[in-house]
Amino acid sequence: MTVSANSAVEFDVSTIVATAYQMAGLANEYQSITAQQAAKGQTLLELIASSTQTMGLFAKVMQFYDLPLAADTRSYTLPGTILDVDGDGAFIAIGQTLTAASGETPVRPISRERFHGLSAHDATGRPIEYFTDRTGEATVIYFWPTPDAASAGTVRLQTRRLRATMREGTATPDFEPFWQDYFVYELAARLALAAGVLARVKFLKDEAQGKLELCRAQSQQRGSQQFVMAHRSGSYR
């Protein structure tokens, strides 16, 4: 027996949509779906993929972003592909190498209430805190104190990016291959529901939910893990 030299196949969006129609009982392996069906499937798949943005800090969407600071400028608009900023940032002084600085200092996130309650918004110096404002179309980040000429270095941020669209049939999803099975079952459940094929909906939805739990567990950003054993005992007199 010879094991294939290729890794797992990543299906494109069109293949996932066509397979979901088959799983929903709305098409068979001998017929192709129409352009209208493909468009509907891609729209629903986009909704499904967008909903995963609320499910945790997945490793695939976490990325570092180096933000250059300018003297006397405290607010910065981040690229539209950045959904949010998480955890501490790292201030890198002018002249230091961004990828291997000899000394970095943390820039900690604060709440809107904490930012609003700062008593000296006009303070300047090396930034030690930041507030992320997500009320507009683009994410805006505010630093405190406002960097001065001597502190106009760079802050490395831990950001969460938006996933690529599911509206391009020839593209592969912006997810690890193990998500494919979930997408097929979840999309099939929604297509069956929309078409009134109610007999299949619960089965498909249950299968999708089980696969989603496995995908979420595998996709989470890994942190330090510590095993703790607790032993409960009765009271002694």
Side-chain angles (χ1 to χ4, degrees):
M1 180 181 296
T2 302
V3 177
S4 174
N6 298 317
S7 300
V9 175
E10 294 189 64
F11 299 117
D12 60 25
V13 170
S14 293
T15 301
I16 292 174
V17 170
T19 305
Y21 269 100
Q22 294 173 11
M23 294 291 291
L26 303 175
N28 60 55
E29 61 271 27
Y30 302 108
Q31 67 182 113
S32 300
I33 61 175
T34 66
Q36 291 75 16
Q37 288 176 314
K40 179 177 181 178
Q42 290 173 14
T43 297
L44 292 175
L45 196 56
E46 180 79 6
L47 293 174
I48 295 168
S50 295
S51 70
T52 66
Q53 301 278 10
T54 66
M55 295 179 183
L57 302 180
F58 292 157
K60 191 174 178 65
V61 298
M62 300 299 296
Q63 62 183 15
F64 290 123
Y65 179 74
D66 294 330
L67 178 61
L69 303 182
D72 303 322
T73 303
R74 71 168 183 168
S75 66
Y76 300 82
T77 300
L78 301 180
T81 55
I82 293 179
L83 176 64
D84 202 358
V85 182
D86 293 283
D88 289 354
F91 175 80
I92 304 170
I94 298 173
Q96 291 287 329
T97 303
L98 298 183
T99 56
S102 61
E104 299 181 359
T105 54
V107 186
R108 306 190 185 283
I110 59 174
S111 66
R112 177 183 297 276
E113 181 179 6
R114 159 72 179 162
F115 178 75
H116 174 66
L118 290 172
S119 60
H121 280 268
D122 61 344
T124 60
R126 177 179 59 80
I128 59 174
E129 296 177 331
Y130 74 88
F131 161 63
T132 305
D133 184 5
R134 296 172 53 202
T135 58
E137 292 186 5
T139 299
V140 178
I141 190 167
Y142 292 83
F143 290 100
W144 187 87
T146 300
D148 54 20
S151 302
T154 300
V155 173
R156 185 177 64 249
L157 301 170
Q158 301 180 78
T159 65
R160 189 165 13 143
R161 67 175 178 83
L162 292 169
R163 301 267 190 180
T165 181
M166 288 283 207
R167 298 299 299 274
E168 298 176 7
T170 58
T172 55
D174 187 14
F175 289 80
E176 298 89 344
F178 54 77
W179 280 90
Q180 295 174 148
D181 207 17
Y182 161 69
F183 286 135
V184 168
Y185 276 95
E186 178 64 28
L187 179 55
R190 299 192 186 196
L191 291 171
L193 179 63
V197 188
L198 303 183
R200 295 199 178 206
V201 174
K202 186 179 186 307
F203 167 75
L204 293 169
K205 196 68 178 176
D206 288 346
E207 287 291 305
Q209 184 60 37
K211 297 176 189 304
L212 174 59
E213 293 175 1
L214 295 174
C215 289
R216 289 181 63 181
Q218 182 62 28
S219 296
Q220 291 291 342
Q221 181 85 355
R222 296 288 192 268
S224 60
Q225 298 183 3
Q226 183 178 16
F227 181 77
V228 178
M229 178 178 290
H231 175 69
R232 298 184 63 183
S233 60
S235 60
Y236 293 89
R237 295 183 179 179

PDB file of all heavy atoms in Angstrom, residues 179-195:
ATOM      1  N   TRP A 179     -12.663  22.437   8.421  1.00  0.00           N
ATOM      2  CA  TRP A 179     -13.942  23.148   8.483  1.00  0.00           C
ATOM      3  C   TRP A 179     -14.891  22.745   7.351  1.00  0.00           C
ATOM      4  O   TRP A 179     -16.093  23.027   7.406  1.00  0.00           O
ATOM      5  CB  TRP A 179     -13.701  24.657   8.411  1.00  0.00           C
ATOM      6  CG  TRP A 179     -13.276  25.289   9.691  1.00  0.00           C
ATOM      7  CD1 TRP A 179     -12.006  25.466  10.146  1.00  0.00           C
ATOM      8  CD2 TRP A 179     -14.124  25.849  10.701  1.00  0.00           C
ATOM      9  NE1 TRP A 179     -12.005  26.088  11.360  1.00  0.00           N
ATOM     10  CE2 TRP A 179     -13.281  26.345  11.731  1.00  0.00           C
ATOM     11  CE3 TRP A 179     -15.503  25.988  10.835  1.00  0.00           C
ATOM     12  CZ2 TRP A 179     -13.791  26.964  12.875  1.00  0.00           C
ATOM     13  CZ3 TRP A 179     -16.009  26.609  11.980  1.00  0.00           C
ATOM     14  CH2 TRP A 179     -15.164  27.085  12.981  1.00  0.00           C
ATOM     15  N   GLN A 180     -14.377  22.116   6.320  1.00  0.00           N
ATOM     16  CA  GLN A 180     -15.195  21.847   5.127  1.00  0.00           C
ATOM     17  C   GLN A 180     -16.432  21.013   5.439  1.00  0.00           C
ATOM     18  O   GLN A 180     -17.528  21.281   4.930  1.00  0.00           O
ATOM     19  CB  GLN A 180     -14.331  21.146   4.062  1.00  0.00           C
ATOM     20  CG  GLN A 180     -13.211  22.034   3.541  1.00  0.00           C
ATOM     21  CD  GLN A 180     -12.260  21.310   2.607  1.00  0.00           C
ATOM     22  OE1 GLN A 180     -11.700  21.899   1.693  1.00  0.00           O
ATOM     23  NE2 GLN A 180     -12.046  20.019   2.821  1.00  0.00           N
ATOM     24  N   ASP A 181     -16.266  19.989   6.259  1.00  0.00           N
ATOM     25  CA  ASP A 181     -17.390  19.108   6.589  1.00  0.00           C
ATOM     26  C   ASP A 181     -18.494  19.888   7.292  1.00  0.00           C
ATOM     27  O   ASP A 181     -19.684  19.712   7.005  1.00  0.00           O
ATOM     28  CB  ASP A 181     -16.897  17.966   7.473  1.00  0.00           C
ATOM     29  CG  ASP A 181     -17.745  16.711   7.330  1.00  0.00           C
ATOM     30  OD1 ASP A 181     -18.502  16.611   6.346  1.00  0.00           O
ATOM     31  OD2 ASP A 181     -17.632  15.821   8.198  1.00  0.00           O
ATOM     32  N   TYR A 182     -18.110  20.780   8.216  1.00  0.00           N
ATOM     33  CA  TYR A 182     -19.104  21.611   8.902  1.00  0.00           C
ATOM     34  C   TYR A 182     -19.855  22.491   7.913  1.00  0.00           C
ATOM     35  O   TYR A 182     -21.086  22.604   7.977  1.00  0.00           O
ATOM     36  CB  TYR A 182     -18.434  22.479   9.964  1.00  0.00           C
ATOM     37  CG  TYR A 182     -19.286  23.657  10.391  1.00  0.00           C
ATOM     38  CD1 TYR A 182     -20.455  23.466  11.121  1.00  0.00           C
ATOM     39  CD2 TYR A 182     -18.945  24.957  10.027  1.00  0.00           C
ATOM     40  CE1 TYR A 182     -21.255  24.539  11.490  1.00  0.00           C
ATOM     41  CE2 TYR A 182     -19.727  26.039  10.394  1.00  0.00           C
ATOM     42  CZ  TYR A 182     -20.886  25.824  11.128  1.00  0.00           C
ATOM     43  OH  TYR A 182     -21.681  26.888  11.480  1.00  0.00           O
ATOM     44  N   PHE A 183     -19.124  23.135   7.010  1.00  0.00           N
ATOM     45  CA  PHE A 183     -19.774  24.029   6.056  1.00  0.00           C
ATOM     46  C   PHE A 183     -20.794  23.280   5.191  1.00  0.00           C
ATOM     47  O   PHE A 183     -21.882  23.798   4.911  1.00  0.00           O
ATOM     48  CB  PHE A 183     -18.729  24.710   5.168  1.00  0.00           C
ATOM     49  CG  PHE A 183     -17.953  25.784   5.856  1.00  0.00           C
ATOM     50  CD1 PHE A 183     -16.575  25.878   5.712  1.00  0.00           C
ATOM     51  CD2 PHE A 183     -18.583  26.722   6.655  1.00  0.00           C
ATOM     52  CE1 PHE A 183     -15.852  26.869   6.349  1.00  0.00           C
ATOM     53  CE2 PHE A 183     -17.873  27.722   7.302  1.00  0.00           C
ATOM     54  CZ  PHE A 183     -16.499  27.791   7.152  1.00  0.00           C
ATOM     55  N   VAL A 184     -20.455  22.067   4.771  1.00  0.00           N
ATOM     56  CA  VAL A 184     -21.380  21.289   3.935  1.00  0.00           C
ATOM     57  C   VAL A 184     -22.668  21.001   4.702  1.00  0.00           C
ATOM     58  O   VAL A 184     -23.777  21.223   4.198  1.00  0.00           O
ATOM     59  CB  VAL A 184     -20.721  19.973   3.462  1.00  0.00           C
ATOM     60  CG1 VAL A 184     -21.767  19.036   2.862  1.00  0.00           C
ATOM     61  CG2 VAL A 184     -19.643  20.267   2.427  1.00  0.00           C
ATOM     62  N   TYR A 185     -22.555  20.522   5.931  1.00  0.00           N
ATOM     63  CA  TYR A 185     -23.750  20.151   6.701  1.00  0.00           C
ATOM     64  C   TYR A 185     -24.558  21.376   7.118  1.00  0.00           C
ATOM     65  O   TYR A 185     -25.789  21.362   7.057  1.00  0.00           O
ATOM     66  CB  TYR A 185     -23.353  19.331   7.929  1.00  0.00           C
ATOM     67  CG  TYR A 185     -23.184  17.866   7.628  1.00  0.00           C
ATOM     68  CD1 TYR A 185     -21.936  17.326   7.331  1.00  0.00           C
ATOM     69  CD2 TYR A 185     -24.283  17.007   7.628  1.00  0.00           C
ATOM     70  CE1 TYR A 185     -21.786  15.972   7.045  1.00  0.00           C
ATOM     71  CE2 TYR A 185     -24.146  15.652   7.344  1.00  0.00           C
ATOM     72  CZ  TYR A 185     -22.894  15.146   7.050  1.00  0.00           C
ATOM     73  OH  TYR A 185     -22.755  13.807   6.753  1.00  0.00           O
ATOM     74  N   GLU A 186     -23.889  22.448   7.549  1.00  0.00           N
ATOM     75  CA  GLU A 186     -24.619  23.640   7.966  1.00  0.00           C
ATOM     76  C   GLU A 186     -25.317  24.295   6.782  1.00  0.00           C
ATOM     77  O   GLU A 186     -26.481  24.709   6.884  1.00  0.00           O
ATOM     78  CB  GLU A 186     -23.660  24.631   8.627  1.00  0.00           C
ATOM     79  CG  GLU A 186     -24.312  25.944   9.075  1.00  0.00           C
ATOM     80  CD  GLU A 186     -25.360  25.758  10.153  1.00  0.00           C
ATOM     81  OE1 GLU A 186     -25.267  24.790  10.926  1.00  0.00           O
ATOM     82  OE2 GLU A 186     -26.292  26.602  10.231  1.00  0.00           O
ATOM     83  N   LEU A 187     -24.632  24.386   5.645  1.00  0.00           N
ATOM     84  CA  LEU A 187     -25.250  24.956   4.456  1.00  0.00           C
ATOM     85  C   LEU A 187     -26.393  24.069   3.975  1.00  0.00           C
ATOM     86  O   LEU A 187     -27.454  24.576   3.584  1.00  0.00           O
ATOM     87  CB  LEU A 187     -24.212  25.129   3.345  1.00  0.00           C
ATOM     88  CG  LEU A 187     -24.724  25.693   2.014  1.00  0.00           C
ATOM     89  CD1 LEU A 187     -25.434  27.031   2.220  1.00  0.00           C
ATOM     90  CD2 LEU A 187     -23.577  25.844   1.015  1.00  0.00           C
ATOM     91  N   ALA A 188     -26.213  22.754   4.017  1.00  0.00           N
ATOM     92  CA  ALA A 188     -27.276  21.837   3.607  1.00  0.00           C
ATOM     93  C   ALA A 188     -28.518  22.015   4.478  1.00  0.00           C
ATOM     94  O   ALA A 188     -29.658  21.988   3.979  1.00  0.00           O
ATOM     95  CB  ALA A 188     -26.785  20.396   3.669  1.00  0.00           C
ATOM     96  N   ALA A 189     -28.323  22.208   5.788  1.00  0.00           N
ATOM     97  CA  ALA A 189     -29.457  22.401   6.692  1.00  0.00           C
ATOM     98  C   ALA A 189     -30.232  23.661   6.332  1.00  0.00           C
ATOM     99  O   ALA A 189     -31.471  23.663   6.316  1.00  0.00           O
ATOM    100  CB  ALA A 189     -28.955  22.478   8.136  1.00  0.00           C
ATOM    101  N   ARG A 190     -29.529  24.732   6.008  1.00  0.00           N
ATOM    102  CA  ARG A 190     -30.204  25.986   5.675  1.00  0.00           C
ATOM    103  C   ARG A 190     -30.894  25.899   4.318  1.00  0.00           C
ATOM    104  O   ARG A 190     -31.990  26.460   4.132  1.00  0.00           O
ATOM    105  CB  ARG A 190     -29.200  27.140   5.701  1.00  0.00           C
ATOM    106  CG  ARG A 190     -28.567  27.335   7.081  1.00  0.00           C
ATOM    107  CD  ARG A 190     -27.811  28.637   7.185  1.00  0.00           C
ATOM    108  NE  ARG A 190     -27.101  28.732   8.459  1.00  0.00           N
ATOM    109  CZ  ARG A 190     -26.616  29.860   8.962  1.00  0.00           C
ATOM    110  NH1 ARG A 190     -26.761  31.001   8.283  1.00  0.00           N
ATOM    111  NH2 ARG A 190     -25.986  29.875  10.125  1.00  0.00           N
ATOM    112  N   LEU A 191     -30.259  25.217   3.372  1.00  0.00           N
ATOM    113  CA  LEU A 191     -30.897  25.040   2.060  1.00  0.00           C
ATOM    114  C   LEU A 191     -32.147  24.181   2.174  1.00  0.00           C
ATOM    115  O   LEU A 191     -33.175  24.473   1.540  1.00  0.00           O
ATOM    116  CB  LEU A 191     -29.905  24.400   1.086  1.00  0.00           C
ATOM    117  CG  LEU A 191     -28.716  25.265   0.654  1.00  0.00           C
ATOM    118  CD1 LEU A 191     -27.713  24.431  -0.130  1.00  0.00           C
ATOM    119  CD2 LEU A 191     -29.185  26.454  -0.181  1.00  0.00           C
ATOM    120  N   ALA A 192     -32.078  23.113   2.977  1.00  0.00           N
ATOM    121  CA  ALA A 192     -33.244  22.246   3.165  1.00  0.00           C
ATOM    122  C   ALA A 192     -34.377  22.997   3.842  1.00  0.00           C
ATOM    123  O   ALA A 192     -35.547  22.853   3.471  1.00  0.00           O
ATOM    124  CB  ALA A 192     -32.845  21.024   3.983  1.00  0.00           C
ATOM    125  N   LEU A 193     -34.042  23.814   4.825  1.00  0.00           N
ATOM    126  CA  LEU A 193     -35.061  24.610   5.511  1.00  0.00           C
ATOM    127  C   LEU A 193     -35.721  25.590   4.552  1.00  0.00           C
ATOM    128  O   LEU A 193     -36.948  25.740   4.526  1.00  0.00           O
ATOM    129  CB  LEU A 193     -34.423  25.351   6.685  1.00  0.00           C
ATOM    130  CG  LEU A 193     -35.353  26.246   7.507  1.00  0.00           C
ATOM    131  CD1 LEU A 193     -36.447  25.425   8.175  1.00  0.00           C
ATOM    132  CD2 LEU A 193     -34.549  27.016   8.570  1.00  0.00           C
ATOM    133  N   ALA A 194     -34.900  26.269   3.736  1.00  0.00           N
ATOM    134  CA  ALA A 194     -35.441  27.249   2.791  1.00  0.00           C
ATOM    135  C   ALA A 194     -36.327  26.596   1.736  1.00  0.00           C
ATOM    136  O   ALA A 194     -37.282  27.205   1.257  1.00  0.00           O
ATOM    137  CB  ALA A 194     -34.291  28.000   2.117  1.00  0.00           C
ATOM    138  N   ALA A 195     -36.006  25.334   1.379  1.00  0.00           N
ATOM    139  CA  ALA A 195     -36.775  24.635   0.349  1.00  0.00           C
ATOM    140  C   ALA A 195     -37.948  23.853   0.921  1.00  0.00           C
ATOM    141  O   ALA A 195     -38.709  23.233   0.165  1.00  0.00           O
ATOM    142  CB  ALA A 195     -35.856  23.693  -0.429  1.00  0.00           C
TER     143      ALA A 195
END
